[in-house]
Amino acid sequence: MENPFTFGNPVRDPERFFGRKEEVRQVVNRLLSSAHESTSIVGERRIGKTSLLKYIAHPQVAPGLGLDPAHYCLIYIDFQGLTDITPQRFWQRVLAKMKRSVCSAALVAEIDRLLQMESFDLFDLEDLCEAIAAENLTVVLLLDEFEYVTQNQNFGPDFFGGLRALAIHHNLPLVTATRRELVDLCHSEELKGSPFFNIFANVVLRPFPRQEVLAMVAAYLGEVGLPFTPQDQEHIYRLAGGYPFFVQMAGYYLVEAQAPPSGSPDVGGRAGEAALSKMADAYQEQADPHYSYMWSHCSESEKITLLAALSLGRQKAATGKNQLKKTLPTLENLVKIYPHAQIDVPELLKRGLLSEDPHQPGAGSGKQTFRLLSEGLERWIAIEITAAEGSAESPESVEAWLQSGGKEVVEPVKGALPRFKKKYWPVVSTVLQEVSIELASSAAFELMLRAIV
């Protein structure tokens, strides 16, 4: 049996591409406008940026989107790892790809002429773009991992000024894909002020909503005829959240854990506890390095906000129903714990590390409640910040840290710090100072985290 779930590579088969209808609509509508406008696709690593670009450019998909190949030439270029690329090499790569994509003999000859030149300038490129426009053709550059260009010292304001001129005056729209917004991925302050970045509309890729995840999982499982129940599919969503990459990974290991041995007539069935446990362990082993990457790219402030949301989401079990309103992970309660959460929450939502939780008890109060991406991420954070058995710091170490300016002394909190890795004391102590005294003054916080593990 072939496992229907795959992870590690982008989705290339349009039949296996799910979701992103609104994002595709925004990108395509801008390309189809009379001005042929450019778009910047922004999203965390492994959120599906490459899959989206390849879907739009796919020859079976583009015509249905209105991007008739007789009038639109879609050129995909991946810049990942090209740390030493130069403007000359950039345009040589674009021209080589363009030569293979256009069907006009006259344009091929013009592109060949430029490729044979030792160097060419903006005027040469403008002449080519005018020739392309004369053929009633629009060339669209789909530029993946474009931060390898914006952060490259070889590309200065002159390059981006020229690229902007071609994009807005000479029928060369751009669709870029980056981890953060383009203006935040510049190698200099001078470049940040470039008008190049004003030509883009941002389209942010966020995790899939729950129903979209469940629909994708059901469709994939249907390919192999394994009768997994809605509870099994829900288990995938809880473990992986709405990240399509993590959903594919969790689905893959669920199928692997439940698939019958080779040669067995059994077709499998509902995943039992043993299969779910096996799946979760295999998933966590693969997912943890990616969670580590996401965590490492959070500021200390964002880590505090994430931990505050985690603690509020779990705290109600320790404080009882009467404290539910106070412990809901709303923005108001997060700000009470950590004022900077007001700034962190929108960014964490954009990156997908936080999501709105409409199913949180009390969410009907009209206030948004938040949760971390998934139970898998919660588990990783719990393991990451807690000290391993036998490696806890001593109370004397805590006192020395406090006296050296680590944090102001807060009696109910300092006794809990040895349970956590020392490098996370600034993060943990900020949260512990503000959560309920009952939680902060006991081992409940640690137990809460270990329960997640």
Side-chain angles (χ1 to χ4, degrees), residues 99-125:
K99 177 184 174 181
R100 293 194 291 269
S101 301
V102 299
C103 54
S104 167
L107 291 178
V108 170
E110 181 65 17
I111 294 170
D112 261 335
R113 184 184 68 82
L114 288 183
L115 285 171
Q116 292 168 12
M117 297 170 61
E118 289 188 8
S119 64
F120 45 81
D121 57 23
L122 181 60
F123 291 145
D124 296 313
L125 293 169

Side-chain angles (χ1 to χ4, degrees), residues 215-364:
M216 182 177 78
V217 170
Y220 275 38
L221 289 174
E223 294 178 13
V224 291
L226 291 177
F228 288 108
T229 66
Q231 289 79 11
D232 297 328
Q233 297 166 29
E234 186 73 36
H235 186 81
I236 291 177
Y237 173 69
R238 292 199 312 271
L239 185 63
Y243 248 66
F245 171 72
F246 292 128
V247 171
Q248 292 267 19
M249 184 186 294
Y252 177 89
Y253 285 114
L254 181 61
V255 171
E256 290 296 302
Q258 188 63 11
S262 177
S264 170
D266 186 10
V267 295
R270 185 190 186 285
E273 289 301 319
L276 291 177
S277 177
K278 180 181 178 183
M279 166 262 210
D281 289 343
Y283 167 83
Q284 208 73 39
E285 183 177 352
Q286 286 289 334
D288 281 359
H290 300 285
Y291 291 146
S292 178
Y293 175 88
M294 297 164 80
W295 180 256
S296 70
H297 282 73
C298 291
S299 65
E300 181 173 299
S301 178
E302 290 171 337
K303 291 175 182 176
I304 293 171
T305 298
L306 286 172
L307 190 55
L310 173 57
S311 67
L312 286 176
R314 300 280 176 166
Q315 187 180 353
K316 61 180 181 293
T319 57
K321 293 182 179 180
N322 293 334
Q323 296 294 320
L324 182 59
K325 184 177 179 180
K326 296 180 180 179
T327 61
L328 277 175
T330 62
L331 182 59
E332 179 184 359
N333 287 339
L334 288 171
V335 169
K336 287 179 181 177
I337 290 178
Y338 184 55
H340 204 268
Q342 184 86 34
I343 297 172
D344 292 334
V345 166
E347 182 63 24
L348 291 169
L349 285 171
K350 185 186 297 184
R351 293 173 56 196
L353 297 178
L354 275 184
S355 61
E356 295 180 21
D357 186 2
H359 303 291
Q360 179 78 36

Side-chain angles (χ1 to χ4, degrees), residues 152-450:
N152 189 325
Q153 299 281 349
N154 294 326
F155 293 82
D158 289 345
F159 169 82
F160 290 103
L163 186 57
R164 179 182 187 275
L166 294 174
I168 65 176
H169 297 306
H170 297 282
N171 216 29
L172 189 70
L174 314 172
V175 181
T176 63
T178 54
R179 196 175 70 86
R180 297 289 179 91
E181 293 184 15
L182 287 172
V183 73
D184 296 326
L185 294 168
C186 298
H187 61 72
S188 69
E189 290 299 320
E190 179 185 13
L191 192 56
K192 280 188 177 183
S194 169
F196 170 76
F197 303 104
N198 297 332
I199 69 174
F200 295 93
N202 286 337
V203 171
V204 179
L205 299 192
R206 302 175 187 267
F208 287 176
R210 173 178 171 274
Q211 289 305 319
E212 212 157 78
V213 171
L214 298 180
M216 182 177 78
V217 170
Y220 275 38
L221 289 174
E223 294 178 13
V224 291
L226 291 177
F228 288 108
T229 66
Q231 289 79 11
D232 297 328
Q233 297 166 29
E234 186 73 36
H235 186 81
I236 291 177
Y237 173 69
R238 292 199 312 271
L239 185 63
Y243 248 66
F245 171 72
F246 292 128
V247 171
Q248 292 267 19
M249 184 186 294
Y252 177 89
Y253 285 114
L254 181 61
V255 171
E256 290 296 302
Q258 188 63 11
S262 177
S264 170
D266 186 10
V267 295
R270 185 190 186 285
E273 289 301 319
L276 291 177
S277 177
K278 180 181 178 183
M279 166 262 210
D281 289 343
Y283 167 83
Q284 208 73 39
E285 183 177 352
Q286 286 289 334
D288 281 359
H290 300 285
Y291 291 146
S292 178
Y293 175 88
M294 297 164 80
W295 180 256
S296 70
H297 282 73
C298 291
S299 65
E300 181 173 299
S301 178
E302 290 171 337
K303 291 175 182 176
I304 293 171
T305 298
L306 286 172
L307 190 55
L310 173 57
S311 67
L312 286 176
R314 300 280 176 166
Q315 187 180 353
K316 61 180 181 293
T319 57
K321 293 182 179 180
N322 293 334
Q323 296 294 320
L324 182 59
K325 184 177 179 180
K326 296 180 180 179
T327 61
L328 277 175
T330 62
L331 182 59
E332 179 184 359
N333 287 339
L334 288 171
V335 169
K336 287 179 181 177
I337 290 178
Y338 184 55
H340 204 268
Q342 184 86 34
I343 297 172
D344 292 334
V345 166
E347 182 63 24
L348 291 169
L349 285 171
K350 185 186 297 184
R351 293 173 56 196
L353 297 178
L354 275 184
S355 61
E356 295 180 21
D357 186 2
H359 303 291
Q360 179 78 36
S365 62
K367 295 182 178 179
Q368 289 178 317
T369 58
F370 304 100
R371 60 177 174 81
L372 271 63
L373 167 68
S374 64
E375 290 181 4
L377 178 60
E378 289 182 352
R379 179 180 182 273
W380 183 88
I381 292 176
I383 293 173
E384 171 65 14
I385 68 173
T386 53
E389 291 291 337
S391 64
E393 296 283 342
S394 66
E396 291 75 19
S397 179
V398 174
E399 290 293 347
W401 179 74
L402 291 169
Q403 292 175 13
S404 67
K407 281 283 180 180
E408 61 272 20
V409 176
V410 181
E411 289 299 326
V413 172
K414 67 177 183 179
L417 290 182
R419 304 183 185 114
F420 302 93
K421 294 176 184 175
K422 187 174 182 179
K423 67 178 180 179
Y424 290 120
W425 286 355
V427 174
V428 172
S429 61
T430 300
V431 177
L432 286 177
Q433 288 174 34
E434 300 298 336
V435 296
S436 69
I437 294 299
E438 294 88 346
L439 196 64
S441 60
S442 70
F445 190 74
E446 179 200 12
L447 292 175
M448 174 194 75
L449 294 176
R450 294 201 180 279

